[in-house]
Amino acid sequence: MALRPAPLGAADLVRLGGYGLRSRPLRAVLSALGIAIGIAAMIAVVGISESSRAELDRQLDALGTNMLRVSPGQTMFGEDASLPDEALSMIKRIGPVTSATATGTVSGTPVYRTDRIPAGETSGIALMATQLDLLETVGAELAGGTWLNAATAKYPAVVLGATAAKRLGDVPAVYIDGRRYPVVGVLKNVPLASELDTAVLIGWAAAESYLDFDGHATTVYTRAVEAKVEAVRSVLAATANPQSPDEVDVSNPSDALFAQRAASQTFTALLLGLGAVALLVGGIGVANTMVISVLERRAEIGLRRSLGATRGQIRTQFVAESLLLSLLGGAAGVLGGFAVTLIYASTQSWPMVVPLWAIGGGLAATLLIGAIAGLYPAIRAARLAPTEALAAA
């Protein structure tokens, strides 16, 4: 009865693979370094690109990729239309709308820095009535002072836009229709609503009480869930003015939204291309190492075959060695790529992002490439006859 060789267990395979690497440590380190560099490049590209994308998303979100404007258009006779008094409250009822606020131009009411300025010298400054939640909706910030509140919005008090403040100078109050209006705050530049930069803002109730303001909104700023921006835009006109939706102008979604989507697609293509090149280089390095290892270890192969090792065991040994080499290099590459991403993101003041799929995918890819790269050398080693291998040694 012919004896069958004992099967190799997982521990035996790890031990054999480790022996092959320990017998030539310098070559193993250099080969693992090649794998590590390739995987580190992939992880670093993914991490830096994702970190850059996170920073881009943050900047684009600050610019308002989900903001729309609603304003009155013209009637069919070419006259200026107006929004209904209920326009703002009706827009707020739209499900995906997260916030909405309004400003109204107080026409024919110039603003002066003193009561001695000649009439007509307004420096291009507009007077606008505003809702109290304007800052949050348009992403505006104060350069100094305070914003209007429930009390000051009912009384003569104003907030200056950034450009208006420069034109008027550092004044404690402005004059409107001969009345003194204290300046309670100054805004920074508002990238999303540049018309606010040259405006003097007054509370809605105060504009109706002290000035000739008709209470109609001239601009409604609307924030919506980003994924629903286009859908919200399609219903804004009919919601703001159900009787005459054609008399309502609605802005297109922010150009930043399209820039965000284009950047996302570009980054994805970049990751796939560079990642594939890095993995290909690593795979070639493993295959080269294993082929040379087979040529140099023919005596060992012949001896093991003479002692009863089967072709399958020889194949499994070299594949296991290739997998172990790739795994060690891949683990080192993941750590290296993580470190590179962390350092680079820190120097750029970006949020550090390394997706879990990149780490898991990097390790899985190294194992797959290790198996493929070690398959041919393993088959070649298994085909060596004992006498042939010993004679060539």
Side-chain angles (χ1 to χ4, degrees), residues 16-17 20-21 24 27-28 31-32 35 282-298 301 314-326 369-381:
L16 281 173
L21 299 182
R24 296 167 178 80
R27 179 176 298 164
S31 298
I35 292 289
I284 292 174
V286 171
N288 181 64
T289 298
M290 297 309 300
V291 168
I292 295 176
S293 180
V294 170
L295 295 176
E296 292 182 344
R297 294 163 63 186
R298 284 177 294 183
I301 297 169
I314 297 296
R315 283 195 300 267
T316 304
Q317 173 189 348
F318 278 89
V319 170
E321 187 173 325
S322 177
L323 287 174
L324 186 58
L325 178 62
S326 299
I369 288 180
I372 295 174
L375 187 60
Y376 169 72
I379 294 174
R380 181 172 178 175

Side-chain angles (χ1 to χ4, degrees), residues 72-388:
Q74 291 186 329
T75 67
M76 59 182 303
F77 301 106
E79 300 175 351
D80 292 335
S82 61
L83 295 176
D85 294 338
E86 303 81 10
L88 179 60
S89 60
M90 291 189 293
I91 289 174
K92 288 183 176 180
R93 295 192 186 103
I94 301 174
V97 170
T98 57
S99 64
T101 189
T103 60
T105 301
V106 184
S107 58
T109 309
V111 180
Y112 302 100
R113 60 177 299 174
T114 72
D115 56 356
R116 300 180 183 278
I117 301 295
E121 296 185 8
T122 62
S123 300
I125 297 173
L127 179 63
M128 294 184 181
T130 181
Q131 300 286 336
L132 297 182
D133 54 355
L134 179 69
L135 294 190
E136 294 81 4
T137 303
V138 301
E141 296 180 356
L142 285 167
T146 61
W147 178 243
L148 299 171
N149 54 43
T152 56
K154 299 178 181 178
Y155 298 99
V158 297
V159 173
L160 306 182
T163 304
K166 292 178 181 178
R167 293 176 182 176
L168 292 170
D170 186 13
V171 293
V174 296
Y175 288 81
I176 305 171
D177 276 353
R179 180 189 289 270
R180 185 176 184 273
Y181 287 75
V183 176
V184 298
V186 176
L187 296 179
K188 295 180 180 179
N189 287 313
V190 186
L192 282 180
S194 57
E195 64 274 8
L196 300 179
D197 295 340
T198 57
V200 172
L201 302 171
I202 186 173
W204 203 275
E208 292 178 327
S209 300
Y210 300 101
L211 303 168
D212 188 19
F213 178 53
D214 58 10
H216 290 291
T218 52
T219 303
V220 177
Y221 301 96
T222 303
R223 293 271 190 177
V225 176
E226 186 172 304
K228 304 288 186 179
V229 171
E230 287 86 352
V232 170
R233 183 183 183 277
S234 66
V235 301
L236 272 178
T239 303
N241 191 347
Q243 295 183 346
S244 303
D246 56 328
E247 296 179 2
V248 179
D249 291 335
V250 180
S251 68
N252 290 318
S254 172
D255 290 339
L257 178 60
F258 298 105
Q260 186 181 43
R261 293 173 179 173
S264 177
Q265 295 173 356
T266 302
F267 277 130
T268 300
L270 176 65
L271 299 184
L272 292 176
L274 294 182
V277 171
L279 291 177
L280 178 61
V281 171
I284 292 174
V286 171
N288 181 64
T289 298
M290 297 309 300
V291 168
I292 295 176
S293 180
V294 170
L295 295 176
E296 292 182 344
R297 294 163 63 186
R298 284 177 294 183
E300 174 192 334
I301 297 169
L303 180 60
R304 291 200 63 218
R305 290 297 311 280
S306 299
L307 294 176
T310 64
R311 293 179 183 270
Q313 289 176 337
I314 297 296
R315 283 195 300 267
T316 304
Q317 173 189 348
F318 278 89
V319 170
E321 187 173 325
S322 177
L323 287 174
L324 186 58
L325 178 62
S326 299
L327 182 60
L328 293 176
V334 168
L335 294 177
F338 191 89
V340 170
T341 302
L342 177 61
I343 294 172
Y344 189 83
S346 299
T347 59
Q348 299 296 321
S349 299
W350 292 350
M352 206 279 284
V353 180
V354 177
L356 292 177
W357 65 262
I359 297 175
L363 293 176
T366 56
L367 291 176
L368 177 62
I369 288 180
I372 295 174
L375 187 60
Y376 169 72
I379 294 174
R380 181 172 178 175
R383 287 178 177 174
L384 288 174
T387 54
E388 177 187 354

Side-chain angles (χ1 to χ4, degrees), residues 65 68 312 322:
T65 59
L68 298 166
S322 177

